[in-house]
Amino acid sequence: MRRALLLARKAEGRTSPNPMVGAVVVRQGRIVGEGYHKKAGSAHAEILALKKAGSKASGGELFVNLEPCGHFGKTPPCVDAVIASGIRKVYIGMKDPNPLVSGKGIRKLRRAGIAVETGTLRAECERLNEVFIKFITTGAPFVILKSALTLDGKTATCRGESRWISNPQSRKVVHALRDRVDAILVGAGTVAQDNPLLTARPVGKKGKNPVRVILDNQNRVPLTARVFLNSSAEKVIYVASQKLPEKKERALLKKGVEVLRLAKKNNRIPLKILMAQLAKREITSVLIEGGSEVNGGALREKIVDKIILFMAPIIFGGKDAPGLAGGAGIPRIQDAVKINEVQVRRLGEDLWLEGYPS
């Protein structure tokens, strides 16, 4: 099963809106076939593993991190191929989280006389596909809030300078993270201050640029911003209020940008409604790389599933230097956002902190 998980992770960031799946066929204690789902619409992991195993699959065992599908989708049901192969036992890491199909594949295998054991490394299997689980069970994307900050919790100087707080090693991790998500969300302030490209430039391979989502409810982002440079080839969604001037909308559309108008609530674009709109476009994961106000809004609306912070050993100080989360802040300690399952790693002199809001 650990081998299946390693195989599955090879396609991280490439299978959306499908899950990551790896499969291993074992006969008499030896691996005779393996495979993983490479991208949506391509062959499933079980099919590839069984094909490699060939006749050696008969009487063998199949290890797969997610329940084999028992229904027709873009490809035929995997359980039919498993049954036809002569596999005698299937080890499944976790059931399919889709309530419409969960358990159907398992039941079909058992009815065919195949032994099935579920829950092998279940926690690790669930963590691997945390994005898919959130999307398929709630209809909303998995949201990661990422930020670089100083030891005193500042994300920029009092003048708004933020490039670069983190070191080159941390920035490499960020580009690898961008390569794995469906979309990046930033606010108008970030675009105006840093003028970023928001592309993925991972070391050692060609990156997959995520959809860039620009939140601008005050018409602040100029048409000359670098984020629009290749918008005719790679998707950019410009999120504006109902008051966006038609002239600017026409100019954005001419650049190939999708314009999404949303009604403001409390003078802000509601992020929960925006997430629902992104989910309709089969965007399953969103990386928030915004400034203090966007971060604060995301935490207040409770859309954040995971937090990743890169903390540099520097101090900015000053009451006018923005912190991680803007807004009025919480009145009582017991109202604080609590972070669970915190992991801390070193990246040179930087600290990489990762956890899940309760």
Side-chain angles (χ1 to χ4, degrees):
M1 189 62 76
R2 291 197 191 283
R3 178 62 182 163
L5 288 166
L6 282 171
L7 290 166
R9 195 174 285 280
K10 284 186 175 185
E12 193 167 16
R14 303 298 186 272
T15 63
S16 180
N18 290 353
M20 290 177 278
V21 184
V24 176
V25 179
V26 175
R27 176 78 183 274
Q28 296 179 344
R30 298 185 65 181
I31 292 176
V32 294
E34 60 183 31
Y36 66 96
H37 182 49
K38 293 181 173 63
K39 62 179 181 179
S42 68
H44 286 193
E46 303 93 315
I47 303 300
L48 294 171
L50 290 170
K51 186 176 180 180
K52 286 185 180 180
S55 61
K56 293 178 182 178
S58 183
E61 300 169 326
L62 173 68
F63 291 79
V64 59
N65 60 290
L66 183 69
E67 176 185 359
C69 60
H71 63 288
F72 277 92
K74 291 181 179 178
T75 58
C78 289
V79 292
D80 292 351
V82 176
I83 293 167
S85 72
I87 286 284
R88 67 177 181 83
K89 187 170 184 177
V90 180
Y91 293 85
I92 296 171
M94 60 173 285
K95 288 184 177 180
D96 191 323
N98 186 341
L100 298 176
V101 299
S102 182
K104 287 184 178 180
I106 293 170
R107 288 193 293 272
K108 195 169 182 179
L109 289 170
R110 285 176 172 158
R111 283 198 299 268
I114 297 173
V116 178
E117 185 174 315
T118 62
T120 308
L121 299 183
R122 177 181 171 183
E124 290 159 71
C125 293
E126 289 177 345
R127 181 65 75 224
L128 174 77
N129 274 311
E130 59 189 5
V131 169
F132 176 71
I133 293 170
K134 166 78 183 294
F135 181 73
I136 204 69
T137 58
T138 69
F142 187 90
V143 178
I144 303 167
L145 190 156
K146 180 242 99 184
S147 186
L149 66 164
T150 64
L151 284 181
D152 56 338
K154 305 297 185 180
T155 57
T157 68
C158 60
R159 291 184 177 181
E161 294 179 12
S162 60
R163 300 177 71 178
W164 299 98
I165 291 175
S166 58
N167 66 23
Q169 291 154 284
S170 294
R171 296 198 292 274
K172 285 179 183 178
V173 173
V174 172
H175 280 288
L177 183 59
R178 287 179 179 179
D179 180 58
R180 299 197 299 265
V181 298
D182 290 347
I184 297 179
L185 170 67
V186 298
T190 297
V191 177
Q193 182 66 40
D194 298 337
N195 197 18
L197 286 168
L198 298 180
T199 53
R201 302 182 293 278
V203 176
K205 68 173 184 177
K206 184 180 179 181
K208 173 190 70 69
N209 289 334
V211 174
R212 288 155 294 170
V213 183
I214 314 302
L215 198 60
D216 186 11
N217 65 2
Q218 295 179 341
N219 191 24
R220 293 170 59 194
V221 176
L223 293 168
T224 54
R226 294 203 303 166
V227 75
F228 299 131
L229 285 179
N230 63 343
S231 54
S232 59
E234 296 185 319
K235 194 170 184 66
V236 177
I237 301 175
Y238 180 84
V239 186
S241 73
Q242 305 285 13
K243 295 182 179 180
L244 177 69
E246 289 187 11
K247 182 179 179 180
K248 185 167 185 178
E249 181 174 9
R250 287 195 298 270
L252 287 164
L253 293 173
K254 190 175 180 180
K255 286 177 173 285
V257 175
E258 178 183 351
V259 176
L260 177 59
R261 291 174 179 261
L262 293 177
K264 290 195 287 188
K265 185 178 181 181
N266 298 324
N267 206 36
R268 297 178 182 275
I269 291 173
L271 295 177
K272 273 190 178 178
I273 292 175
L274 173 57
M275 292 304 113
Q277 288 293 324
L278 296 181
K280 288 179 180 179
R281 291 156 175 79
E282 289 198 327
I283 290 174
T284 66
S285 56
V286 176
L287 178 65
I288 295 178
E289 290 199 39
S292 178
E293 292 304 312
V294 173
N295 293 345
L299 290 168
R300 281 193 301 275
E301 291 197 46
K302 298 181 179 180
I303 65 167
V304 179
D305 298 292
K306 191 174 190 176
I307 290 180
I308 298 177
L309 303 177
F310 298 93
M311 184 169 283
I314 55 176
I315 294 172
F316 286 168
K319 61 183 176 62
D320 294 327
L324 175 66
I330 60 161
R332 304 176 301 170
I333 291 177
Q334 56 262 45
D335 297 328
V337 177
K338 296 177 178 64
I339 311 301
N340 301 318
E341 301 179 55
V342 176
Q343 295 183 52
V344 182
R345 283 162 276 191
R346 288 284 296 269
L347 290 169
E349 293 300 310
D350 285 1
L351 292 179
W352 171 6
L353 293 88
E354 190 172 303
Y356 298 82
S358 59

